[in-house]
Amino acid sequence: MRIHRNWDSLIPALTQSGLTDRRAIIITDANVAGLFLDEIKTLLVPHFSTVSHHIIPAGETSKNFTALQDILTAFQHAGLDRHSLVIALGGGVVGDLAGFAASIYMRGVAWANLPTTLLAQADSAVGGKTAIDFCGTKNLIGSFHQPALIYVNTAALATLPQDQYISGLAEVVKYGIIDDALFFDYLWYNRHHIADRNVQVLEHILHTSYKIKAKIVAQDEKDTGLRQVLNYGHTFGHAIESLTDFTLPHGHCVALGMICAAAYSRMDASQTGRIATLLDFFGLPTKLPAPYNFTADDVYKMMQQDKKATHGTITLIISHAIGSVEITHGAKESDILTTITAIL
C-alpha cells in the first residue's frame, strides 16, 4: 500500500507496478465520480491504450448480482482482455464489486484499488477479499483476488460525510483491541486530532492498520485460521447490518459488535469502558440506535448464517484484554443472547 496526499504519484506507481500500456476501465460510484473521475481519467489517458469507466449507484445495496453483471458487461464492451486493468475508485463497496468482477472475468484480470474512504483505506482495501451480498447476508458470495496496487490518497478523506468517516474509525479501533495496546493508547490520546481529520495522525493510523492487517493476512491469506481474528466484532456486526437492511453504516454495526464481543469475553470493566468511551467520542453507537428495534433472538438467528459458522455452531472472535485476541468455537446460544442484550 502506498500512501500519498494527492493523485500526483498515481501514474509512477502504476508504471512501477507494470500496469500501464494496456486497456483500463475505472469502476466507481455515483458519489465518487463527481469528485475524482475526471481527474483520474485525465491522468490515465496518455499512459493506456484505452480508458473507459462504469458508474454504479452508491451504497451497500449495489453489492448484488445485477450490479456485478452490469460491470462484467462494461468489461466486455470496453474490450478488456487478460492483459487489461480494472481500477476500483471508491470505498469498500466499489472495491468489493470491482475486485470480484476482476477475479472472475476471463478467470482473472489485474486490478488496482484506489480507496477513497477511511474504512477502505484502513481495512477493506487490504487483503484481497472481494464479494457481493446474497439473500440478505453480507459478503456471502466472493473470492480472494489480491490487487496489483493499492494507492491511498489521504486528501480524499476530507470529502467524506461525517457518518462515513466515523464508520471507518470502528475498524481502526478494532486493530488496537486485537493486536496492539499501544496503538489503542495512541488512538485514545489523539482522539481529538482524529476527530479533526489531522493528516499526520491519519497517516500514522493508516500505516499501523495496514501493518497489522498485512502481518495477519500473510500468515493466512484464505481466511481458514488466524485471519479470522480480523473479524472481531463482525459476527455480531454483520448480523446487525443485515437486519437493518444495510441502512446502518458498516462501521456503526461493527462498533455495536465490538461491544457485544467485549461483553461475551467478560473483559475487565475498565477496559470495556475505555472502548465504549472511545467509540462514543467518535460518534459511533454503543447501543442500538432508533428506529431499529429487533431482538437478541433476531440477531442470533442472523449470526447462524455467518461464513465462520459450521453446522449452526457459531465461531466468535474475542479479546480478554486490549491488545490480545482469540478464536472461540461452540459458543452457547444462551451466552450469545445474554451478550447481545448489552446493546439493546
Side-chain angles (χ1 to χ4, degrees):
M1 183 170 75
R2 309 183 188 194
I3 299 177
H4 306 271
R5 296 185 182 182
N6 50 53
W7 298 114
D8 294 353
S9 299
L10 177 58
I11 295 304
L14 288 167
T15 302
Q16 291 167 15
S17 299
L19 298 173
T20 50
D21 299 319
R22 61 186 71 194
R23 292 179 181 271
I25 185 169
I26 302 167
I27 307 300
T28 190
D29 69 32
N31 292 339
V32 177
L35 296 169
F36 303 118
L37 179 58
D38 288 345
E39 182 179 0
I40 297 299
K41 287 193 75 171
T42 299
L43 289 171
L44 296 180
V45 165
H47 305 278
F48 288 82
S49 56
T50 64
V51 179
S52 55
H53 70 268
H54 177 76
I55 300 173
I56 65 171
E60 184 74 23
T61 54
S62 285
K63 285 175 58 175
N64 56 53
F65 273 118
T66 299
L68 177 64
Q69 182 173 339
D70 289 345
I71 291 174
L72 294 171
T73 301
F75 287 179
Q76 198 274 334
H77 287 171
L80 264 60
D81 56 31
R82 289 184 174 178
H83 186 64
S84 299
L85 178 68
V86 175
I87 299 175
L89 174 65
V93 170
V94 170
D96 279 353
L97 264 171
F100 187 33
S103 77
I104 60 176
Y105 190 77
M106 293 189 172
R107 296 192 177 93
V109 296
W111 71 296
N113 203 341
L114 280 56
T116 59
T117 66
L118 180 58
L119 193 152
Q121 292 183 1
D123 184 71
S124 65
V126 182
K129 280 188 176 181
T130 69
I132 60 173
D133 305 330
F134 184 65
C135 290
T137 300
K138 179 94 168 179
N139 297 334
L140 191 61
I141 297 176
S143 64
F144 292 91
H145 190 43
Q146 296 291 347
L149 172 71
I150 304 171
Y151 185 100
V152 169
N153 175 7
T154 56
L157 300 180
T159 69
L160 287 181
Q162 183 67 3
D163 64 334
Q164 289 189 34
Y165 179 71
I166 64 175
S167 181
L169 290 175
E171 297 286 2
V172 173
V173 172
K174 175 196 74 177
Y175 285 116
I177 296 172
I178 69 170
D179 189 83
D180 191 339
L182 292 178
F183 182 50
F184 185 91
D185 287 342
Y186 179 87
L187 300 175
W188 179 268
Y189 292 114
N190 287 276
R191 58 191 184 275
H192 293 282
H193 294 308
I194 295 169
D196 292 338
R197 309 191 193 193
N198 178 279
V199 174
Q200 289 81 8
V201 172
L202 286 173
E203 288 177 348
H204 177 76
I205 285 172
L206 293 172
H207 275 296
T208 305
S209 297
Y210 170 74
K211 286 192 294 185
I212 293 172
K213 185 166 187 177
K215 174 186 66 176
I216 294 171
V217 170
Q219 299 175 71
D220 178 26
E221 182 183 3
K222 297 300 176 67
D223 202 17
T224 59
L226 177 64
R227 184 170 176 169
Q228 293 182 40
V229 303
L230 295 171
N231 286 317
Y232 180 77
H234 286 59
T235 303
F236 295 100
H238 281 166
I240 294 167
E241 194 172 2
S242 295
L243 288 168
T244 70
D245 198 24
F246 305 108
T247 57
L248 190 62
H250 173 74
H252 295 57
C253 297
V254 170
L256 292 168
M258 291 192 292
I259 295 297
C260 291
Y264 180 87
S265 65
R266 296 180 174 83
M267 180 185 284
D268 180 84
S270 63
Q271 297 204 25
T272 302
R274 287 189 82 201
I275 293 172
T277 300
L278 186 60
L279 294 174
D280 183 68
F281 177 85
F282 289 143
L284 289 160
T286 56
K287 293 285 185 180
L288 187 67
Y292 308 108
N293 60 358
F294 40 79
T295 67
D297 191 58
D298 294 331
V299 178
Y300 177 77
K301 288 178 180 177
M302 188 61 69
M303 288 171 67
Q304 290 180 302
Q305 300 180 36
D306 185 85
K307 295 185 295 299
K308 297 183 298 303
T310 304
H311 304 301
T313 299
I314 295 174
T315 296
L316 291 179
I317 313 304
I318 65 173
S319 173
H320 293 293
I322 293 173
S324 67
V325 70
E326 66 179 68
I327 302 171
T328 64
H329 304 284
K332 293 182 180 179
E333 178 179 352
S334 58
D335 291 338
I336 294 176
L337 289 170
T338 299
T339 291
I340 296 169
T341 62
I343 63 166
L344 301 179

